[in-house]
Structures are given as C-alpha cells and as structure tokens.
Amino acid sequence: MNEIERDGEATAALGAIPSANSGDGDLSETTETVSESASQVRPHLNDPRHILPVQTYKGTSLWRKLVALLGLGAFTVLSGLAITLVVGIIAIVAALVVQAAIS
C-alpha cells in the first residue's frame, strides 16, 4: 500500500544541451545524433532548456532595496491607520446603539 509506483513513461534525462554559440561542426554532429536517437525516443519539444536563454543572476541594487523597504513601511503604517479608523467607527456606532437601547 505504501509502495512507490513507477511511471511507465520515463522522462528525459537532464543531460547537457549544446549551446547555440558552438561551431557549425558541432551542430552537424548533434543533428546526426538527434536524428539517430529520434527513432528510439520521441523528441521533447517542450523542454525549457531549448526555449529559454541562459540568464545569470544579478543581485538587486541597494537603492531598490531601500525603496522597497520604504514602500513596505508606508503601506504598513497606512494599513494600521485604516484598521484603527474602522475599529474606532465601529466602536462609536456600537456605543450609540447601546445608549439608544438603554434610554
């Protein structure tokens, strides 16, 4: 009951994919390899490694972090004021209703 069931179709192995910057000689070799292996395994057209370009991570600048922190602080203060105002109005209305019910 707790055994892991294996899927019948195996997924593609995460091997290295030749980059588009390689020479023309590499391209002809890879096309031959792909055409030979295509008869055995169906092509993976939705593989994101073929679609998306390689991007290096760039850290966020200090100014953007400061602006984000200031925006978050302003949002927090305004949200606190709004909640306090709503709770205060509800308390005043409730006090008026109770006073009208008593007298």
Side-chain angles (χ1 to χ4, degrees):
M1 181 180 220
N2 292 333
E3 295 179 14
I4 299 175
E5 295 182 12
R6 299 267 182 205
D7 191 6
E9 291 186 13
T11 55
L14 294 177
I17 293 183
S19 65
N21 297 336
S22 61
D24 292 335
D26 293 339
L27 184 60
S28 62
E29 292 174 6
T30 54
T31 359
E32 292 172 3
T33 310
V34 169
S35 62
E36 291 172 2
S37 64
S39 61
Q40 299 170 356
V41 180
R42 57 183 185 185
H44 299 283
L45 299 177
N46 293 337
D47 191 357
R49 294 173 293 168
H50 289 291
I51 300 169
L52 300 175
V54 176
Q55 296 179 350
T56 57
Y57 174 74
K58 297 178 185 175
T60 309
S61 69
L62 186 61
W63 288 111
R64 286 186 180 216
K65 290 179 182 178
L66 180 63
V67 168
L69 188 62
L70 288 175
L72 183 61
F75 179 76
T76 304
V77 168
L78 290 176
S79 298
L81 288 174
I83 291 172
T84 304
L85 183 65
V86 168
V87 169
I89 291 174
I90 290 174
I92 290 172
V93 169
L96 291 175
V97 167
V98 169
Q99 186 178 4
I102 292 175
S103 52

